Amino acid sequence: VQLQASGGGQVQAGASLRLSCVASGQSFNTYAVAWFRQAGGKEREFVATINWNGSNKVYEDSVKGRFTISRDNAKKTVYLQMDSLKPEDTAVYYCGASPKGPIKQRIWYDWWGQGTQVTVSS
């Protein structure tokens, strides 16, 4: 599976962005997909994940109510709608795919996209 993340940008606090993760590969529609983020000098941290058919979603506490993860398997794409952005959301955002299910632990994600930069100014 190959993943390509896009949609990042530089915005002001309170704005919205939608990230996309487009996949190639026949098994994508059976995998869970997650978004992680990595700010400068920090560990890559979990943001949100979605199971293969979109019926199960898990969010990191700080993004609950502001971010929404969704997927369109016909397009082999997973989205992360980010509303009410805050400066602390600034990071490089990565999408990952896992055959294990919608879990938070990075170790279970076998395939990764290249990352897209999100910068939120106050």
Side-chain angles (χ1 to χ4, degrees), residues 1-40:
V1 176
Q2 292 186 322
L3 305 175
Q4 182 157 0
S6 63
Q10 184 167 355
V11 298
Q12 292 196 324
S16 298
L17 283 172
R18 188 176 79 158
L19 306 184
S20 297
C21 177
V22 180
S24 61
Q26 294 182 349
S27 300
F28 173 78
N29 292 350
T30 66
Y31 294 158
V33 176
W35 288 96
F36 286 73
R37 65 187 178 187
Q38 188 167 17

